[in-house]
Amino acid sequence: MHDSPPPQPQPPRTAAARPGPVRLPPLQGETNLSYLDRLADRYRLGVRDLIPALLQVGRGLFKGYRTDGEVYLNAEARTRVSAFSRVPEEILGRALPAWTAQEPLSPDRVGTAGRFRFGAVVPAAGEGCRPCTAARTGRAKPARLYLKPHTRICPRHRRWMLGTHWIDGAPADTEQIDLAGLAEFLAAHRQHQDLLRHRPDAAKAFEVAHAVVVSWWAQQWPEEKQWPHRERQMAPPGADPDWWRLLVRDAVTYPETVALTSVLTSERTRQRLLDDTGGHLPHTLAHIPGLIAQLARVANRPWLPERIASTSAGPLLVWAQHCVRSPADAAGADGLWTLHMAHRPRPIAQELQSYRDAAHKLEETEDATRLHLGLRHTSTQAFTTGLAHARAYAAVHGHLAAPIGERFNGFALGRWLSNHRKFPAMPPEHVAELEALDPWWRPPWTVMWQRSYYEARDHARAQGGLRPEHGFPTTSFGLGEWLYNQCSGYDELHPAQQRLLADIGLTPERARAARPRRKHMATHFQRALACARAFADTHGTLVNATSDTVQDGLKLGQWLSNQRSKDRAYQHRHGAPSPRALALSAIDPWWNPPWTLEWQRSWHQARTHVQDGHVLDAAAGFPGTSSALATWLTTQCAQYDTLQPDQQALLARIGITVDRARGASAPPAEREADFTVGLGYARSYHAIHGTLAAEIDTDHDGFQLGRWLRRQRQHVRADASRGAPPSAAAKALDRVDPWWCPPWSLAWQRAWQQVHDQIKAGHRFDADRHFRSFAPAQRPWLRQQRNHYDDLHPGQQRLLAGIGLTREAAHTRPLTPYAETALAHTRAYAAAHHTLA
C-alpha cells in the first residue's frame, strides 16, 4: 500500500480574492529574499506576510528587516517553498547561490526554520538590470542579485549596478548608472570576462588590483583628469559632488582595475619583475621601474611612475615582494593574492557614513568609540606607545636599527620593531610615521647590516673619510673587516645598499680599489703561533696566558681564547681537532684541556714546584707549598675518584698516585668531625633559605658551605657510580633537604624554591594568565616549565605540582592580554546589545 502524497501548501487566506497557484522560476544569481519577495508579490502579499505563514515560524523571522538582507532556510523549509512555488529544488539550488548556504534550527530543533541576516555577513548584492529583469519576468518589480565585479555591468543596456549602501538605517541612492558615452567600460568588461575564462587566479587578482587602484584614487592627485570626468558624466542633476564621488568609486575605477588585473596575472610581467630586481627584495616601487612603467602605459597615465615610485607600503609592493620571495609554483601562488586587512579598501557604506557624520559634525562618545574599535583601538594605542619610544631612541642614536634584545627606557623596543618588520601589511600611515624617523627602519636586508652601515656612516662623518684603498686604517678591526667584505661583494649587493655605501664614499670605483683591513689569515696565524711558542718557552705552558697577556704586540690571551672556542666548534662538527689546534698542541699538549683552565694552571704550578726539587708529601699536608696550592692538592686527593683519567695521569706525573691520594685522606674520626661541623652549618642555612641548593661561592657565617656541599655531592655521585649504597653522610643530608643533591641542575632547584616560598606566603599561582603576577625574572622560568612539562624529571613534576603547576594546568592554554581585552569588549557589547551577532 502506497503512502498518499503530502497536501500541497496553500497561500494564506484573506478576505480579498487572491490569484491561483503560480509557478515562479528564479533568476540566475538571485538572492533568496528577492525570490521569496517576488513570490509573495505574485499573490499580492508582502514577503513578511507570506513566508512566516507558509513556514509557520511566526513573524519574528524578519526581525530587523532590511532590503539588503538575506534569509536562509533549512531543508524542511526549502522543501515547502519548492512545493509552493512549483519549482524543483535542484533548479532553485542552481539559480540561487545562498539556497543551501546555511541550515538554521528552530527553537525545538525540529520542523521548518529560517534565519534573517543583514550587513557585513551577507555578500554584496543589489538590483539587477531593470530592463533585463522586466524582460525575463514580465513584470516591473525589480530583483536583487548577488553582484560580483564582472556582473555589475549589463553590456546589453549599458548600465552599472551600484548596489545598496545602508547609511543611518536607510538605503543610500541605488540608481543604476547609464554608461552611454563611456565606451571604455564595455571594453574593460569584455577584457574582464576574457581574464576570468583564461586565468584561474583572475578573481583573486582583481581584489588586489582593486585595492591598488582605490589607494591611487584616494590620493586625488592634481594630474588625475579621467576619474573626475567620469564622475561628472555619471552624476544625476543636483547630486552632491563629494557624496557622488564616494558612491561611484568602484564604478569610475573599474577600467583601470581590469587593466591592472591583466598586468598582475601575466607570467611575462612577473618574469620582467624578477629581471628588474635581480632577485633582490624591492624596498620601494622605484626598485621595479619596469613594472610601474607598464602600469603607467596600461592605465594611460604617463605621470604615474613619478607619483608612486617612493611608495614603501601597500598591496602593490607586498605583491611584488612576494613574487621575488616565492617561486612561481602553485604553493607560492596561494600567498601571492593575499590581501591583508590593512590594505583592503574601506567599504563604500563606511565612506558615506563618515562623510555624513563630518557634514553633520557628529562625534562619537568615548564609550561608543571604544566599543566600536575594540582590539583595533587597543592595537592603535600600543603602536602609539611604541612609536613614542622609537622617536626617543632615534633622537639618541640617529636610527632605528636596534638589536632585537634592545630595551630602551624599560621598553622592549628591539622586539617591538622586529615584530613590525615581520608584518608585511602595516597600515600605510604607521609605515610613514616610522619612515619619518628612519627611512631604512625596515630594510629588505638584515638589520645587522643596517646597524653596521650606520656605524660606518658615523665613523666617516667623524673621521672625514674611510680611505678604502689603504685598508680602512682609521676604523676598528671589526668595522674595517665589514667594510672590506662589502667592497669584495659589491656587485651582489642590493642596489639600495650600493647607493647607501656610495653616500659614505664607497663608490664602485673605490670599492674595487679597497684593500683588506688585516693581513692574510695564514700569515697572521703563523705570527701568532710564533708568539705562542715564545710565551711557552718562557712560562712552560700556554694556559697561564690570561685575557690581558700581550706577547710581542699580540694579545695572546685573547687570541688563545678565540682558538679554543673555534677548536671546540670544529671538534663538534668533525669529531677531531683542527689543523691549527694540532699546531698549538705541539707547543703545549694541554693548551685547551677538557676541564677548567684554573685546574690546569694549578697543576702546572705544582709541577713547577716538583721540578724545582721539592717533593709533594701528601701524608704531611704538602709542606713547602703555598696555602692555595696545598688546598688545591688536598682537594684533588679528596676528589681523586671523581677526576677524569687524564687528570689522574697528570697527578701521577707529579707523584700523586691513587694510593698516595687515598693515604692523604683524613682519619675517620677527623672526617666525621669535619662532616659534623659542615652538617651544622647546612642545617642553619636550610632553616633560613629552605633549601641546600646553595651556589658554589656561598659563605655561611664564615664557613664555605657551597664548596663543602659540592664535595659531599661529588662523594655521593662517586659512590653511585661504583654501585655502593648511600653513605650515612648522604642520609643525614637527605633528612635536612631531600633535594640537596638532585639529578637536575641546582639553578633549577633554586628557582623552584623561590617560587615555592612565594606560594607558601600566599602568592597566587596564575598559570592561566602567563604568570604575570610574578617578577619579570621568574616568568620565563615558569613558562619554560609549563611548555616543557612532559620532558621534566618525575621528581621535578612532583615539585611543580606542589606549587600548583600540575599536568592539567601545564596543558591548559592560558589567556593572552589580547584575549582578555577581547573578552572585556565582548561582555560590554553583549551587555549593551543583548547579542553577539
Side-chain angles (χ1 to χ4, degrees):
M1 182 176 182
H2 298 286
D3 293 335
S4 59
Q8 186 74 12
Q10 299 295 324
R13 298 178 180 273
T14 61
R18 300 294 185 196
V22 297
R23 181 180 183 277
L24 183 67
L27 298 177
Q28 188 64 38
E30 191 174 8
T31 68
N32 295 346
L33 181 62
S34 172
Y35 177 72
L36 297 176
D37 186 35
R38 291 195 302 111
L39 183 62
D41 182 69
R42 298 297 293 270
Y43 292 98
R44 302 175 187 173
L45 294 173
V47 67
R48 287 177 285 180
D49 298 320
L50 174 65
I51 302 305
L54 178 64
L55 304 182
Q56 299 178 357
V57 294
R59 298 181 65 86
L61 170 63
F62 289 102
K63 183 179 180 180
Y65 177 78
R66 283 170 38 167
T67 57
D68 67 336
E70 180 61 293
V71 61
Y72 301 97
L73 306 176
N74 67 355
E76 292 86 346
R78 294 195 297 268
T79 300
R80 187 168 296 187
V81 170
S82 173
F84 182 73
S85 65
R86 304 191 176 201
V87 178
E89 277 200 66
E90 57 269 19
I91 294 179
L92 292 172
R94 286 197 301 266
L96 307 178
W99 181 247
T100 58
Q102 296 185 20
E103 290 289 336
L105 294 174
S106 61
D108 53 3
R109 296 184 176 274
V110 293
T112 59
R115 178 185 295 125
F116 181 74
R117 290 287 181 266
F118 60 86
V121 296
V122 178
E127 284 188 7
C129 175
R130 291 170 185 168
C132 290
T133 301
R136 293 169 184 166
T137 64
R139 292 175 175 267
K141 185 174 181 61
R144 291 183 57 80
L145 310 177
Y146 284 107
L147 296 179
K148 296 182 180 179
H150 67 285
T151 63
R152 286 182 176 271
I153 287 183
C154 176
R156 175 179 299 177
H157 300 100
R158 298 174 179 267
R159 291 186 174 223
W160 176 278
M161 272 60 73
L162 282 173
T164 304
H165 306 288
W166 279 69
I167 309 299
D168 291 338
D173 190 355
T174 58
E175 289 291 330
Q176 298 176 2
I177 300 174
D178 187 1
L179 298 178
L182 296 169
E184 64 267 29
F185 280 81
L186 301 182
H189 184 253
R190 288 192 296 270
Q191 184 183 13
H192 194 179
Q193 289 184 314
D194 184 67
L195 287 171
L196 292 171
R197 283 192 297 267
H198 297 96
R199 299 285 185 179
D201 52 357
K204 296 180 179 178
F206 186 91
E207 294 182 8
V208 176
H210 179 245
V212 173
V213 174
V214 169
S215 69
W216 297 346
W217 169 88
Q219 301 299 320
Q220 300 190 50
W221 291 313
E223 300 92 340
E224 179 58 56
K225 305 298 181 185
Q226 299 184 46
W227 290 334
H229 172 71
R230 291 174 190 163
E231 293 164 6
R232 292 190 297 270
Q233 193 167 352
M234 293 176 177
D240 180 350
D242 294 330
W243 174 272
W244 183 254
R245 176 179 178 272
L246 298 174
L247 188 63
V248 298
R249 179 195 71 187
D250 293 350
V252 299
T253 58
Y254 177 75
E256 287 73 20
T257 302
V258 174
L260 183 55
T261 303
S262 68
V263 173
L264 299 184
T265 55
S266 171
E267 293 294 338
R268 187 176 301 175
T269 297
R270 299 179 201 173
Q271 186 57 49
R272 278 201 300 265
L273 189 147
L274 292 175
D275 295 339
D276 272 354
T277 60
H280 295 296
L281 210 62
H283 183 246
T284 65
L285 293 181
H287 296 145
I288 43 177
L291 176 64
I292 60 177
Q294 186 179 9
L295 296 181
R297 285 195 303 271
V298 299
N300 194 25
R301 287 164 172 79
W303 45 265
L304 185 62
E306 183 179 352
R307 281 291 183 180
I308 67 174
S310 61
T311 301
S312 59
L316 183 58
L317 183 64
V318 171
W319 176 85
Q321 290 175 340
H322 194 282
C323 287
V324 175
R325 189 183 294 114
S326 302
D329 54 14
D334 291 339
L336 186 62
W337 308 115
T338 299
L339 190 59
H340 298 273
M341 287 300 300
H343 294 159
R344 292 183 181 273
R346 195 179 185 192
I348 291 179
Q350 291 186 16
E351 296 279 11
L352 296 174
Q353 184 68 60
S354 298
Y355 177 80
R356 178 165 292 183
D357 290 348
H360 292 81
K361 297 182 180 180
L362 296 178
E363 296 181 359
E364 295 177 332
T365 63
E366 182 181 352
D367 291 339
T369 301
R370 186 182 300 114
L371 184 61
H372 171 68
L373 292 175
L375 285 177
R376 183 178 175 184
H377 182 57
T378 303
S379 176
T380 302
Q381 287 181 323
F383 178 81
T384 303
T385 301
L387 181 64
H389 289 286
R391 186 176 290 111
Y393 184 91
V396 174
H397 299 277
H399 60 79
L400 291 181
I404 192 170
E406 179 79 14
R407 298 189 69 87
F408 185 72
N409 294 336
F411 180 75
L413 182 64
R415 174 61 64 182
W416 184 84
L417 286 169
S418 175
N419 291 340
H420 282 77
R421 291 187 189 103
K422 295 175 184 176
F423 185 50
M426 283 181 62
E429 58 273 16
H430 290 180
V431 175
E433 288 179 297
L434 286 169
E435 285 186 345
L437 302 177
D438 182 358
W440 299 101
W441 76 275
R442 185 173 61 172
W445 45 82
T446 65
V447 178
M448 183 178 294
W449 190 98
Q450 195 65 25
R451 196 158 50 245
S452 298
Y453 167 78
Y454 286 133
E455 182 183 356
R457 181 196 64 181
D458 296 342
H459 180 86
R461 290 175 178 175
Q463 299 295 329
L466 295 173
R467 300 169 61 191
E469 61 278 4
H470 297 290
F472 309 97
T474 61
T475 64
S476 64
F477 181 82
L479 180 59
E481 282 294 296
W482 183 85
L483 286 166
Y484 179 71
N485 289 337
Q486 306 316 305
C487 294
S488 301
Y490 196 88
D491 294 336
E492 285 75 34
L493 293 175
H494 193 287
Q497 289 176 300
Q498 295 177 353
R499 286 195 293 272
L500 287 174
L501 291 174
D503 290 341
I504 59 174
L506 291 183
T507 60
E509 296 75 18
R510 299 194 71 188
R512 284 192 290 269
R515 293 293 177 266
R517 177 69 173 83
R518 61 183 178 183
K519 295 183 179 179
H520 192 267
M521 288 291 293
T523 305
H524 178 70
F525 178 78
Q526 291 301 323
R527 174 178 174 270
L529 195 66
C531 294
R533 189 176 293 107
F535 182 89
D537 291 342
T538 303
H539 299 87
T541 182
L542 291 179
V543 296
N544 285 344
T546 64
S547 59
D548 298 328
T549 300
V550 177
Q551 177 73 29
D552 298 334
L554 174 73
K555 293 183 177 179
L556 181 63
Q558 185 62 52
W559 183 82
L560 285 170
S561 177
N562 294 339
Q563 298 306 308
R564 291 184 184 104
S565 300
K566 293 178 181 178
D567 181 52
R568 293 187 186 106
Y570 186 92
Q571 291 198 52
H572 179 74
R573 290 194 303 268
H574 303 283
S578 66
R580 294 186 177 184
L582 293 175
L584 286 166
S585 297
I587 299 174
D588 180 359
W590 300 106
W591 73 278
N592 188 18
W595 44 82
T596 64
L597 292 177
E598 289 76 9
W599 193 97
Q600 192 65 25
R601 288 167 183 157
S602 297
W603 177 87
H604 179 74
Q605 183 182 357
R607 189 190 68 169
T608 302
H609 184 78
V610 172
Q611 289 176 342
D612 291 342
H614 302 285
V615 177
L616 297 177
D617 189 352
F622 305 104
T625 62
S626 65
S627 174
L629 181 58
T631 301
W632 182 83
L633 289 167
T634 302
T635 303
Q636 305 316 305
C637 293
Q639 301 174 358
Y640 191 87
D641 293 335
T642 65
L643 296 177
Q644 297 183 29
D646 285 338
Q647 290 176 297
Q648 294 175 350
L650 288 175
L651 290 175
R653 288 173 56 183
I654 59 175
I656 301 179
T657 61
V658 58
D659 296 332
R660 292 186 179 183
R662 291 174 179 170
S665 301
E670 186 177 339
R671 290 201 303 269
E672 183 176 352
D674 175 72
F675 177 80
T676 302
V677 172
L679 184 63
Y681 282 105
R683 290 194 180 108
S684 172
Y685 184 88
H686 185 273
I688 298 173
H689 301 281
T691 182
L692 289 183
E695 296 189 30
I696 185 65
D697 57 351
T698 299
D699 187 290
H700 182 63
D701 293 340
F703 181 75
Q704 293 185 349
L705 181 64
R707 297 186 182 277
W708 183 83
L709 285 170
R710 185 179 69 170
R711 288 198 299 273
Q712 306 309 313
R713 293 188 187 99
Q714 289 171 340
H715 292 322
V716 168
R717 289 167 184 152
D719 291 342
S721 66
R722 293 194 302 269
S727 64
K731 294 178 181 178
L733 285 169
D734 283 339
R735 288 191 292 271
V736 178
D737 181 359
W739 302 105
W740 74 278
C741 185
W744 47 84
S745 70
L746 294 177
W748 190 97
Q749 193 67 24
R750 286 191 293 271
W752 176 87
Q753 188 66 41
Q754 292 177 358
V755 177
H756 175 268
D757 293 344
Q758 290 181 250
I759 299 297
K760 190 175 180 180
H763 193 97
R764 180 178 175 273
F765 190 76
D766 55 345
D768 57 336
R769 299 187 185 279
H770 281 292
F771 312 104
R772 288 196 292 276
S773 65
F774 287 87
Q778 294 175 311
R779 295 173 199 163
W781 183 85
L782 287 165
R783 291 169 185 163
Q784 185 180 25
Q785 309 317 306
R786 182 188 62 200
N787 296 338
H788 300 280
Y789 186 88
D790 294 336
D791 299 330
L792 296 176
H793 190 282
Q796 291 174 297
Q797 294 179 349
R798 287 196 298 273
L799 289 175
L800 291 174
I803 61 174
L805 186 58
T806 61
R807 184 179 299 274
E808 293 73 18
H811 293 166
T812 301
R813 182 179 180 181
L815 285 175
T816 65
Y818 290 105
E820 292 181 4
T821 305
L823 285 174
H825 288 297
T826 303
R827 294 189 185 100
Y829 188 93
H833 301 278
H834 309 292
T835 181
L836 288 179

